């Protein structure tokens, strides 16, 4: 299984146009002129993904005050994303990429280790995209448990 090409700081963020939990189309270009945290997660309503999403939810006001929006992307269908959003009171867009085209374009789908085995799947990844659509931070294989630390760093590094 070949490794997916990964994004690096300074790269142009790949464009996307995906449905949100309500079926509305959200594009990366909707955030032009603003900084946005784009994070990729394997599956809605699983323990790690819930911890990560709730970390962003709980820090959303601070992120927004620092000029950072948040978007989560997974291969889940919009209906599952709506259930996840409602159950966890998430107030930022969750986008559906069931064909994994955006996941692959961002290097967030490919070979990974899981329980000691090499498998194909979603690589938990977090990016900060600047006002011009350029990658300002690219983090792969992130741990859901470190979400709060990453958020604090994003606010201090990219806020304002």
């Amino acid at each position: 299984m070949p490794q997916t090409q990964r994004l690096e700081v300074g790269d142009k963020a790949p464009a996307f146009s995906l449905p949100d939990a309500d079926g509305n189309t959200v594009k990366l270009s909707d955030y032009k002129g603003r900084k946005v945290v784009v994070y990729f997660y394997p599956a809605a309503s699983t323990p790690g993904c819930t911890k990560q999403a709730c970390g962003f939810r709980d820090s959303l006001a601070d992120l927004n005050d620092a000029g950072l929006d948040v978007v989560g992307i997974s291969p889940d269908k919009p209906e599952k994303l709506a259930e996840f959003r409602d159950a966890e009171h998430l107030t930022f867009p969750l986008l559906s990429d069931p064909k994994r085209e955006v996941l692959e374009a961002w290097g967030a789908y490919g070979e990974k280790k899981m329980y000691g085995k090499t498998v194909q799947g979603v690589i938990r990844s977090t990016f900060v995209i600047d006002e011009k659509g350029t990658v300002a931070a690219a983090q792969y294989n992130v741990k859901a448990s470190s979400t709060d630390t990453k958020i604090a760093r994003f606010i201090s590094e990219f806020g304002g």
Side-chain angles (χ1 to χ4, degrees), residues 78-113:
E79 301 79 25
K80 185 171 180 188
L81 296 176
E83 290 171 14
F84 183 44
R85 176 199 61 203
D86 295 347
E88 302 303 332
H89 309 288
L90 304 175
T91 56
F92 54 87
L94 298 176
L95 307 184
S96 173
D97 184 23
K99 294 180 182 173
R100 299 188 279 286
E101 292 167 346
V102 175
L103 284 151
E104 289 177 12
W106 287 62
Y109 187 85
E111 206 172 85
K112 66 179 188 174
K113 291 275 190 198

Side-chain angles (χ1 to χ4, degrees), residues 1-5 109-112 118-120 123:
M1 290 184 267
Q3 186 57 42
T4 313
Q5 181 69 33
Y109 187 85
E111 206 172 85
K112 66 179 188 174
T118 302
V119 297
Q120 280 285 106
I123 299 163

Side-chain angles (χ1 to χ4, degrees), residues 1 17 24 46 59 64 70 76 82 92-93 102-103 111 113 133 156:
M1 290 184 267
S17 179
N24 301 311
T46 57
S59 299
N64 291 164
V70 175
D76 296 307
F92 54 87
V102 175
L103 284 151
E111 206 172 85
K113 291 275 190 198
S156 84

